Amino acid sequence: MSAQKVAVITGSGDGLGKGIAKRLAKDGFAIVLSDINPDTLKATAAEFQADGVNVASFQGNVAKREDQFALVQHAVDTFGRVDVFVNNAGIEDVMALEDVTEADFDRVFDVNVKSVLFGTQAAAAQMKKQGGGSVYKIINACSIAGHESYDLLGVYCASKHAVRSLTVTAAKELAKHQITVNAYCPGVAATKMWDRIDAEMGKYMNTQPGEAFEKFSAGILMGRPQVPEDVAALVHYLASEDSDYMTGQALLIDGGMVFR
Ligand SMILES: NC(=O)c1ccc[n+]([C@@H]2O[C@H](COP(=O)([O-])OP(=O)(O)OC[C@H]3O[C@@H](n4cnc5c(N)ncnc54)[C@H](O)[C@@H]3O)[C@@H](O)[C@H]2O)c1
């Protein structure tokens, strides 16, 4: 195996995933970017290359088991190993529970929950093959919505509660293989996800653009919404040897919104 450790991050063409990939690159990992959106994926890969990062990219849909296994294979074909796998990609759905259709429910659970299951299976299979020496890390995107439930975000909250549960079960099953499984739980970050949530909530609540976002962020103890770097700093820790003794945790990184 090559000496440089390798981190794979899904949904890293944009948003929090891109911020996490940047931080892990700075920490010295070779980076495998992955996204369903070919344009942002290409642009981000070019940006990383220009910055001198050892980077590969893979276009795939995290909801598809074969894509998650192909992503891990791509990482191995390119860099020879996988040390850290971040199940970051996720989507939201803003609607009252009474309006949710079967297709809405399936869409969110396919991308937010099946992705974590399939990503964990693919990463663990490779990490088990590698064996020996270091502790491998699977890191999942949960949310304050994995600890608390919010109106108009019911299916999203249910999906993130499921991610928290999968994190604990995977931690219990994989510890014997020296694989830890933890999750990061962001609060409110002004990514494209929140642009969409703000617009959709506006339709239900008759709010102006930006108002729902402001309302949701108003009570944050640290006095501001978060930026990708805030979340990336926690993932940096979870990906590092400093967190080798931590597993099965879903850690809140929200500036002071939800207290557990
Ligand atoms: N933004 C927030 O405030 C916030 C808060 C809590 C949790 N989160 C979680 O953090 C993660 C990242 O959120 P974000 O705000 O960066 O979202 P985002 O929408 O800004 O970015 C998500 C990225 O994932 C990609 N993606 C979407 N569906 C995919 C699929 N099926 N396969 C592969 N890639 C796919 C998108 O193309 C995009 O590049 C998500 O899991 C989200 O639920 C975000």
Side-chain angles (χ1 to χ4, degrees):
M1 276 198 295
S2 73
Q4 189 178 24
K5 287 192 174 181
V6 177
V8 179
I9 305 103
T10 68
S12 48
D14 207 350
L16 299 182
K18 182 177 174 181
I20 290 164
K22 271 190 186 169
R23 178 63 197 252
L24 296 184
K26 198 173 144 206
D27 292 342
F29 286 91
I31 299 294
V32 182
L33 301 168
S34 179
D35 209 287
I36 200 169
N37 181 330
D39 300 328
T40 53
L41 182 62
K42 205 172 155 200
T44 300
E47 214 180 288
F48 277 49
Q49 260 154 13
D51 286 345
V53 175
N54 206 3
V55 66
S57 58
F58 178 87
Q59 188 193 343
N61 179 354
V62 291
K64 292 193 171 161
R65 193 173 186 275
E66 66 267 29
D67 282 15
Q68 295 285 60
F69 277 78
L71 167 59
V72 167
Q73 193 55 51
H74 185 67
V76 174
D77 291 345
T78 313
F79 295 124
R81 57 195 277 177
V82 173
D83 297 276
V84 171
F85 191 95
V86 186
N87 280 306
N88 169 75
I91 57 169
E92 75 296 335
D93 207 2
V94 180
M95 57 178 72
L97 285 182
E98 284 173 298
D99 297 334
V100 175
T101 65
E102 190 174 349
D104 295 325
F105 184 92
D106 288 345
R107 195 172 63 90
V108 174
F109 268 68
D110 280 357
V111 178
N112 291 5
V113 184
K114 282 188 187 169
S115 61
V116 171
L117 173 64
F118 300 151
T120 301
Q121 291 174 336
Q126 173 59 27
M127 289 164 176
K128 279 161 69 176
K129 265 190 233 163
Q130 289 168 195
S134 60
V135 175
Y136 299 111
K137 320 268 177 171
I138 295 172
I139 305 171
N140 301 327
C142 188
S143 171
I144 49 172
H147 291 270
E148 188 54 79
S149 298
Y150 300 94
D151 49 347
L152 299 179
L153 288 168
V155 178
Y156 179 75
C157 294
S159 75
K160 292 298 182 180
H161 276 69
V163 169
R164 187 151 65 91
S165 173
L166 286 174
T167 301
V168 178
T169 304
K172 290 181 177 180
E173 293 184 358
L174 297 174
K176 59 180 170 292
H177 303 291
Q178 294 296 296
I179 300 169
T180 64
V181 188
N182 292 291
Y184 53 98
C185 303
V188 181
T191 59
K192 285 182 187 143
M193 174 175 280
W194 249 104
D195 291 346
R196 295 188 298 267
I197 295 175
D198 183 73
E200 290 302 312
M201 280 190 170
K203 290 182 196 163
Y204 270 95
M205 297 167 12
N206 280 325
T207 48
Q208 296 301 310
E211 230 180 300
F213 179 77
E214 262 174 44
K215 208 174 144 206
F216 223 89
S217 338
I220 298 173
L221 292 186
M222 294 311 289
R224 62 167 175 85
Q226 65 196 148
V227 291
E229 288 79 4
D230 296 318
V231 179
L234 173 58
V235 179
H236 144 83
Y237 168 70
L238 293 175
S240 77
E241 288 175 12
D242 285 348
S243 66
D244 279 359
Y245 195 60
M246 175 178 286
T247 196
Q249 304 304 309
L251 302 168
L252 286 150
I253 172 75
D254 63 359
M257 293 182 78
V258 171
F259 307 93
R260 294 288 183 274

